[in-house]
Amino acid sequence: MSGGATEFAKSAQLFNSSIATWAVSAAWDIDLFQALTEADEIDIPWYAKKEEMDEPSLRYLLRALSYADVVEVDVDRVTRGATFEEFAQSKGLFQWLTKGYGSLFQRMGEVVYDKHRTGDYIRRDSTAVSIACRDANDVFMDAAFTEVLNGLDFSVAADLGCGSGERLIQLAKRDPSVTCVGLDIAAGAIEVGTAAVAAGGLQDRVTLIRGDARKLGEYEAFKDVELMTSFLMGHDFWPREQCVELFRGIRTQLPNLKHFVLCDTHRNADDETPDLPLFTMGFETAHALMGQYIPTREEWYSVFEESGWKCVKQHVYSTPANTVIFQLERVDSE
Ligand SMILES: C[S@@+](CC[C@H](N)C(=O)[O-])C[C@H]1O[C@@H](n2cnc3c(N)ncnc32)[C@H](O)[C@@H]1O
């Protein structure tokens, strides 16, 4: 066998793309996107020495990146490639996949069996997920959220599934009279968030609590909340009946609550789409493996209606696909 490039072409392409996927994630870890934004070209041996890296490893990482045109390598020189800007933006979603959910996908062939889906079978890296989501929010989502905020009046804000806490940190920085409380079930996320709150000197106005948002009624800290947000975790409120009950409780048990801004990625209504957009296949597959139902947009509307919320405005993101900000107001506010 010659082993030429035409043999197993599809397999080779997929195999090489997988390595490039990890390399995109690694490029963020080693600050390469930043370095190649600041400099038009980098001398590879010089960079490896300066950063105390193994030069051959760095060179193979760069070769994997050049496979996806992220960089161009010319002997000792690396420069930005044709897709550099694109991947500098999408890197968070790659890190969500590789570091956040890598250990789950690694066990895909196990967790597909009922017998392996018992107890605490889900492995993911919640620290990596929170950092990846912080970047995806920054790149893709925050601009539209800021626009939503401009029309809202509040002095106490809460974020359910707050991850890195970045949303609350931004809210506190934006208005020094605002106090914030965040809730997240994952220790890794609360750790990342607590460090960021301290780094911003916001400990007196931003409190992060480790806990379950499905049991919101148990937390005193939320009773005065006027703005409730929840980004990229709404599906964790499902199954439907549980979600309806929780949303009804949020409305009836928080008397000061004026605005509920919910943003989530919903199920792609068309399962047959051959060319799925960035993120969709990873998101839907990961949640299927975890046994977490992902509602469609229509199913969300029916939950709002049944739990006493109306969607007064929405923003649909193109990336991540199928991701919508639902701006909700209580039906009893009129
Ligand atoms: C995809 S991340 C999004 C984080 C953050 N909202 C953001 O936009 O960057 C989802 C977060 O929801 C948290 N989460 C999932 N189920 C939860 C629950 N029942 N109660 C509180 N947090 C939960 C996860 O730990 C994770 O940090």
Side-chain angles (χ1 to χ4, degrees):
M1 290 218 300
S2 72
T6 54
E7 276 185 29
F8 294 99
K10 182 77 180 167
S11 304
Q13 187 192 25
L14 196 58
F15 198 97
N16 295 341
S17 297
S18 302
I19 305 301
T21 294
W22 285 92
V24 169
S25 179
W28 186 21
D29 282 337
I30 67 169
D31 288 333
L32 192 70
F33 287 111
Q34 185 68 26
L36 273 176
T37 299
E38 288 166 4
D40 287 336
E41 62 175 69
I42 291 174
D43 180 77
I44 298 168
W46 169 82
Y47 191 73
K49 194 156 188 240
K50 177 173 87 76
E51 298 293 329
E52 299 181 22
M53 289 172 177
D54 174 58
E55 189 182 318
S57 300
L58 175 62
R59 282 186 179 276
Y60 280 104
L61 191 162
L62 293 171
R63 183 171 78 169
L65 289 175
S66 68
Y67 178 78
D69 298 323
V70 181
V71 297
E72 280 180 22
V73 177
D74 180 11
V75 193
D76 281 346
R77 203 173 65 110
V78 57
T79 54
R80 295 185 289 272
T83 62
F84 180 86
E85 296 301 335
E86 176 181 332
F87 284 96
Q89 291 187 56
S90 60
K91 63 187 181 307
L93 299 176
F94 280 81
Q95 202 145 98
W96 174 92
L97 175 64
T98 54
K99 292 175 78 172
Y101 282 90
S103 49
L104 178 71
F105 281 114
Q106 191 188 349
R107 296 172 57 238
M108 198 177 197
E110 274 172 60
V111 301
V112 73
Y113 287 104
D114 290 336
K115 66 180 177 189
H116 294 308
R117 298 170 73 88
T118 55
D120 190 14
Y121 78 92
I122 298 165
R123 310 263 155 72
R124 64 184 154 188
D125 180 338
S126 57
T127 303
V129 170
S130 68
I131 292 169
C133 287
R134 177 165 64 193
D135 192 68
N137 269 294
D138 177 39
V139 172
F140 298 113
M141 309 179 68
D142 284 353
F145 176 60
T146 304
E147 253 178 57
V148 170
L149 280 182
N150 288 338
L152 308 183
D153 170 36
F154 61 93
S155 56
V156 185
D159 192 26
L160 303 181
C162 62
S164 67
E166 186 61 23
R167 186 167 320 286
L168 297 176
I169 291 170
Q170 294 301 335
L171 287 179
K173 282 184 178 162
R174 182 176 169 269
D175 181 346
S177 70
V178 162
T179 57
C180 303
V181 55
L183 189 63
D184 201 288
I185 205 164
I190 292 294
E191 235 171 72
V192 171
T194 304
V197 169
L202 294 164
Q203 302 93 313
D204 54 335
R205 290 194 293 120
V206 180
T207 307
L208 302 185
I209 300 170
R210 185 175 176 206
D212 189 342
R214 292 165 299 187
K215 299 177 182 160
L216 193 62
E218 294 179 6
Y219 302 95
E220 264 294 290
F222 289 84
K223 68 179 189 337
D224 297 325
V225 167
E226 293 169 336
L227 165 67
M228 180 76 81
T229 62
S230 185
F231 271 59
L232 306 178
M233 79 144 286
H235 50 276
D236 289 303
F237 295 132
W238 285 63
R240 188 178 186 284
E241 281 320 303
Q242 178 183 280
C243 187
V244 167
E245 200 180 317
L246 179 75
F247 279 26
R248 199 175 278 142
I250 288 176
R251 183 173 55 81
T252 55
Q253 291 160 20
L254 304 178
N256 298 338
L257 187 64
K258 295 187 252 184
H259 315 285
F260 184 9
V261 180
L262 177 77
C263 173
D264 205 13
T265 303
H266 59 74
R267 187 151 49 85
N268 188 21
D270 177 9
D271 279 334
E272 304 306 319
T273 310
D275 284 325
L276 291 169
L278 174 64
F279 190 57
T280 301
M281 188 187 283
F283 176 75
E284 294 186 356
T285 308
H287 286 84
L289 294 177
M290 293 189 289
Q292 178 60 59
Y293 184 75
I294 302 294
T296 63
R297 204 189 305 183
E298 284 62 36
E299 287 175 310
W300 272 120
Y301 294 142
S302 83
V303 163
F304 303 151
E305 194 180 346
E306 196 172 328
S307 57
W309 292 95
K310 60 174 185 274
C311 181
V312 292
K313 218 172 178 184
Q314 62 181 24
H315 176 89
V316 180
Y317 290 102
S318 51
T319 304
N322 306 320
T323 302
V324 182
I325 296 184
F326 302 107
Q327 194 178 327
L328 306 176
E329 280 180 15
R330 34 200 326 151
V331 282
D332 50 14
S333 67
E334 289 158 297

